[in-house]
Amino acid sequence: MGYRILVAIHLLGVVLWMGGILNLSRILGYHAREHPSVRPRFSHLEGRLDFLVAIPGAVLTLGTGIAQVAISGRAYFAAAEWLHIKLALVLAMVVIHFVLTRKHRAMARGAADAKVPRALFAALHGTLGLLLIGVLVLAALKPMG
Protein backbone atom coordinates (compact mmCIF):
# COMPACT_ATOMS: atom_id res chain seq x y z
CA MET A 1 0.00 0.00 0.00
CA GLY A 2 1.41 3.36 -0.99
CA TYR A 3 2.11 6.00 1.61
CA ARG A 4 -0.45 8.40 0.10
CA ILE A 5 -3.18 5.78 0.26
CA LEU A 6 -2.21 5.14 3.87
CA VAL A 7 -2.56 8.86 4.63
CA ALA A 8 -5.94 8.97 2.84
CA ILE A 9 -7.23 6.05 4.90
CA HIS A 10 -5.84 7.73 8.03
CA LEU A 11 -7.78 10.90 7.24
CA LEU A 12 -10.95 8.91 6.57
CA GLY A 13 -10.51 7.26 9.98
CA VAL A 14 -10.02 10.65 11.64
CA VAL A 15 -13.23 12.00 10.10
CA LEU A 16 -15.21 8.93 11.19
CA TRP A 17 -13.70 8.81 14.67
CA MET A 18 -13.94 12.51 15.50
CA GLY A 19 -17.37 12.85 13.88
CA GLY A 20 -18.54 9.83 15.83
CA ILE A 21 -17.28 10.83 19.26
CA LEU A 22 -18.18 14.50 18.89
CA ASN A 23 -21.73 13.47 18.01
CA LEU A 24 -21.74 10.82 20.73
CA SER A 25 -20.76 13.37 23.39
CA ARG A 26 -23.45 15.77 22.16
CA ILE A 27 -26.17 13.09 22.05
CA LEU A 28 -25.21 11.84 25.52
CA GLY A 29 -25.73 15.40 26.73
CA TYR A 30 -29.18 15.48 25.13
CA HIS A 31 -29.90 12.05 26.59
CA ALA A 32 -29.29 13.50 30.05
CA ARG A 33 -31.95 16.19 29.51
CA GLU A 34 -34.68 14.04 28.03
CA HIS A 35 -37.72 12.53 29.67
CA PRO A 36 -37.04 8.99 30.96
CA SER A 37 -39.53 7.48 28.49
CA VAL A 38 -37.39 8.65 25.54
CA ARG A 39 -33.99 7.60 26.90
CA PRO A 40 -33.98 4.03 25.50
CA ARG A 41 -34.13 5.46 21.95
CA PHE A 42 -31.12 7.62 22.72
CA SER A 43 -29.23 4.57 24.04
CA HIS A 44 -29.88 2.69 20.80
CA LEU A 45 -28.68 5.63 18.69
CA GLU A 46 -25.61 6.16 20.87
CA GLY A 47 -24.66 2.50 20.63
CA ARG A 48 -24.91 2.43 16.85
CA LEU A 49 -22.94 5.67 16.54
CA ASP A 50 -20.18 4.39 18.80
CA PHE A 51 -19.87 0.83 17.50
CA LEU A 52 -20.55 1.43 13.80
CA VAL A 53 -18.83 4.80 13.29
CA ALA A 54 -16.55 5.95 16.12
CA ILE A 55 -14.82 2.69 17.04
CA PRO A 56 -14.10 1.63 13.42
CA GLY A 57 -12.84 5.18 12.79
CA ALA A 58 -10.56 4.96 15.82
CA VAL A 59 -9.19 1.59 14.65
CA LEU A 60 -8.49 3.00 11.16
CA THR A 61 -6.91 6.15 12.57
CA LEU A 62 -4.69 4.42 15.10
CA GLY A 63 -3.73 1.54 12.80
CA THR A 64 -2.75 3.74 9.88
CA GLY A 65 -1.07 6.23 12.21
CA ILE A 66 1.11 3.49 13.66
CA ALA A 67 1.91 2.31 10.13
CA GLN A 68 2.96 5.84 9.13
CA VAL A 69 5.27 6.09 12.14
CA ALA A 70 6.77 2.68 11.31
CA ILE A 71 7.37 3.70 7.69
CA SER A 72 8.93 7.02 8.71
CA GLY A 73 11.51 5.27 10.84
CA ARG A 74 12.96 5.55 14.29
CA ALA A 75 15.25 8.49 13.51
CA TYR A 76 12.37 10.64 12.22
CA PHE A 77 10.19 9.71 15.18
CA ALA A 78 12.93 10.62 17.65
CA ALA A 79 13.49 14.04 16.01
CA ALA A 80 9.83 14.97 15.42
CA GLU A 81 8.90 16.71 18.67
CA TRP A 82 5.61 17.88 17.19
CA LEU A 83 4.64 14.24 16.65
CA HIS A 84 5.22 13.43 20.33
CA ILE A 85 2.85 16.24 21.33
CA LYS A 86 0.31 15.12 18.71
CA LEU A 87 0.42 11.56 20.05
CA ALA A 88 -0.16 12.84 23.60
CA LEU A 89 -3.25 14.70 22.37
CA VAL A 90 -4.43 11.58 20.52
CA LEU A 91 -3.95 9.56 23.71
CA ALA A 92 -6.20 12.07 25.52
CA MET A 93 -8.81 11.54 22.76
CA VAL A 94 -8.60 7.78 23.24
CA VAL A 95 -9.17 8.21 26.98
CA ILE A 96 -12.18 10.49 26.38
CA HIS A 97 -13.61 8.00 23.88
CA PHE A 98 -13.22 5.25 26.47
CA VAL A 99 -15.00 7.40 29.09
CA LEU A 100 -17.86 8.19 26.69
CA THR A 101 -18.27 4.51 25.80
CA ARG A 102 -18.34 3.51 29.47
CA LYS A 103 -20.86 6.25 30.31
CA HIS A 104 -23.06 5.21 27.40
CA ARG A 105 -23.03 1.58 28.51
CA ALA A 106 -23.82 2.55 32.10
CA MET A 107 -26.70 4.76 30.98
CA ALA A 108 -28.07 2.04 28.68
CA ARG A 109 -28.04 -0.52 31.52
CA GLY A 110 -29.20 1.86 34.25
CA ALA A 111 -32.65 2.95 35.25
CA ALA A 112 -34.28 5.26 32.72
CA ASP A 113 -34.90 7.87 35.42
CA ALA A 114 -31.35 7.80 36.84
CA LYS A 115 -29.54 11.13 37.25
CA VAL A 116 -27.17 11.77 34.34
CA PRO A 117 -24.28 14.28 34.50
CA ARG A 118 -25.04 16.52 31.51
CA ALA A 119 -22.21 18.96 32.35
CA LEU A 120 -19.65 16.17 32.01
CA PHE A 121 -20.68 15.50 28.41
CA ALA A 122 -20.55 19.20 27.56
CA ALA A 123 -17.05 19.45 29.05
CA LEU A 124 -15.86 16.34 27.18
CA HIS A 125 -17.36 17.65 23.93
CA GLY A 126 -15.51 20.96 24.28
CA THR A 127 -12.29 19.23 25.27
CA LEU A 128 -12.50 16.97 22.21
CA GLY A 129 -12.93 20.00 19.98
CA LEU A 130 -9.85 21.68 21.44
CA LEU A 131 -7.80 18.50 21.18
CA LEU A 132 -8.84 18.07 17.56
CA ILE A 133 -7.76 21.64 16.76
CA GLY A 134 -4.41 20.98 18.42
CA VAL A 135 -3.86 17.76 16.46
CA LEU A 136 -4.79 19.42 13.15
CA VAL A 137 -2.50 22.40 13.75
CA LEU A 138 0.42 20.14 14.69
CA ALA A 139 -0.14 17.83 11.69
CA ALA A 140 -0.44 20.71 9.23
CA LEU A 141 2.39 22.94 10.47
CA LYS A 142 4.78 20.35 11.94
CA PRO A 143 6.47 22.90 14.19
CA MET A 144 9.61 22.00 16.18
CA GLY A 145 10.77 19.57 13.55
Side-chain angles (χ1 to χ4, degrees):
M1 179 178 343
Y3 190 79
R4 287 184 175 194
I5 293 173
L6 191 64
V7 171
I9 295 170
H10 182 72
L11 293 174
L12 173 65
V14 170
V15 169
L16 290 171
W17 185 28
M18 290 298 103
I21 61 175
L22 283 165
N23 278 304
L24 179 61
S25 63
R26 178 62 70 199
I27 293 170
L28 284 165
Y30 292 148
H31 183 149
R33 288 195 318 218
E34 288 300 321
H35 190 271
S37 66
V38 183
R39 287 185 179 175
R41 284 189 183 193
F42 275 90
S43 291
H44 177 73
L45 175 64
E46 293 154 0
R48 291 181 61 86
L49 184 59
D50 196 17
F51 294 106
L52 297 177
V53 179
I55 290 174
V59 169
L60 276 177
T61 300
L62 298 174
T64 56
I66 291 167
Q68 289 176 65
V69 169
I71 289 169
S72 297
R74 211 174 262 202
Y76 177 77
F77 181 75
E81 294 176 28
W82 69 271
L83 184 56
H84 301 161
I85 297 167
K86 178 186 170 190
L87 291 175
L89 298 179
V90 169
L91 179 61
M93 291 175 165
V94 169
V95 169
I96 291 173
H97 188 175
F98 180 77
V99 168
L100 289 171
T101 298
R102 296 277 303 192
K103 290 291 184 183
H104 155 68
R105 288 181 180 171
M107 289 166 63
R109 283 191 307 261
D113 59 351
K115 185 92 169 127
V116 180
R118 183 178 174 278
L120 171 67
F121 300 123
L124 291 176
H125 184 82
T127 303
L128 280 169
L130 292 174
L131 289 169
L132 179 58
I133 290 168
V135 166
L136 292 174
V137 167
L138 287 168
L141 300 180
K142 296 182 172 97
M144 306 166 282

